[in-house]
Amino acid sequence: MSPFVAEYIGSMLLLLLGNSVVANVLLSKTKGNNSGLIVIAFGWAVAVFVGVYSSANYSGGHLNPAITIGLASIGKFEWSNVPSYILAQFLGAMTGSALMWLAYKQHFDATEDAEAKLAVFCNSPAISSVFYNLATETIGTFVLMLGALLISAPEAKLGALDALPVALLVLGIGVSLGGPTGYAINPARDLGPRIMHFLLPIKNKRNSNWRYSWIPVVGPIIGAVIAAFFFQLIQS
């Protein structure tokens, strides 16, 4: 499997499972309706495990443009490969969210709350503040990037099973730092599905909140790059 295909498939699985757990909790008449943040955080952790485990041996299992850019910024990944990885990640995220919509189509139709429909696809802040929302996404991705780098250090190498501690890391970020913005911590995870929310024929949907859309892109990239340089500093 080529790295491009691996990143595409891993990102597709990540968003299919991750957005589906949000749909299960937020949409009307589902078996998991109103089961809460813990279920969402656990579901996203499993989604990360499946996505990373499926792709790690072929592409490194980035599945996140912020991770790809962070690694490239400290010379741990070739800049020439960054565009193809990011393209695969976005295409995979868009495909996964479209498949989620198909699986939950009847429940989207049965749901009157347009905010909930948007939240299934992408993030929005609990309290709107450009500074604090950006800071939250930066801090969350800093934790993700630093943790992932430490987990993948040679003395702690588990091969594809590195997906398990990364999944637990995402679970921890979700229940700890997920309150303010919903912890996108991944530009493709938020912007890819947001584009699909805009494109898909979802019944009685609202606008896709483009005014907020840059924060889950810029914040994670800043956090990942800072974490990468901090990791390099503590390793020297």
Side-chain angles (χ1 to χ4, degrees), residues 77-97:
F77 189 71
E78 293 292 334
W79 278 108
S80 60
N81 293 328
V82 168
S84 64
Y85 265 58
I86 291 178
L87 177 62
Q89 291 155 3
F90 269 93
L91 290 176
M94 294 170 71
T95 303
S97 57

Side-chain angles (χ1 to χ4, degrees), residues 40-160:
I40 290 175
F42 185 79
W44 269 106
V46 173
V48 169
F49 174 77
V50 172
V52 174
Y53 191 90
S54 300
S55 57
N57 285 338
Y58 305 98
S59 68
H62 296 188
L63 315 185
N64 184 338
I67 296 293
T68 301
I69 293 170
L71 291 173
S73 69
I74 58 170
K76 288 185 172 291
F77 189 71
E78 293 292 334
W79 278 108
S80 60
N81 293 328
V82 168
S84 64
Y85 265 58
I86 291 178
L87 177 62
Q89 291 155 3
F90 269 93
L91 290 176
M94 294 170 71
T95 303
S97 57
L99 291 173
M100 173 279 298
W101 171 77
L102 182 61
Y104 279 90
K105 171 65 166 61
Q106 290 181 297
H107 300 279
F108 276 101
D109 292 345
T111 301
E112 296 183 1
D113 187 349
E115 292 288 343
K117 294 178 183 181
L118 176 63
V120 170
F121 284 87
C122 54
N123 297 91
S124 60
I127 300 174
S128 184
S129 166
V130 169
F131 175 80
Y132 286 107
N133 299 156
L134 187 65
T136 299
E137 288 295 330
T138 299
I139 292 166
T141 315
F142 175 89
V143 174
L144 174 66
M145 184 73 189
L146 182 61
L149 285 167
L150 292 171
I151 286 166
S152 64
E155 62 271 16
K157 195 68 176 172
L158 299 174

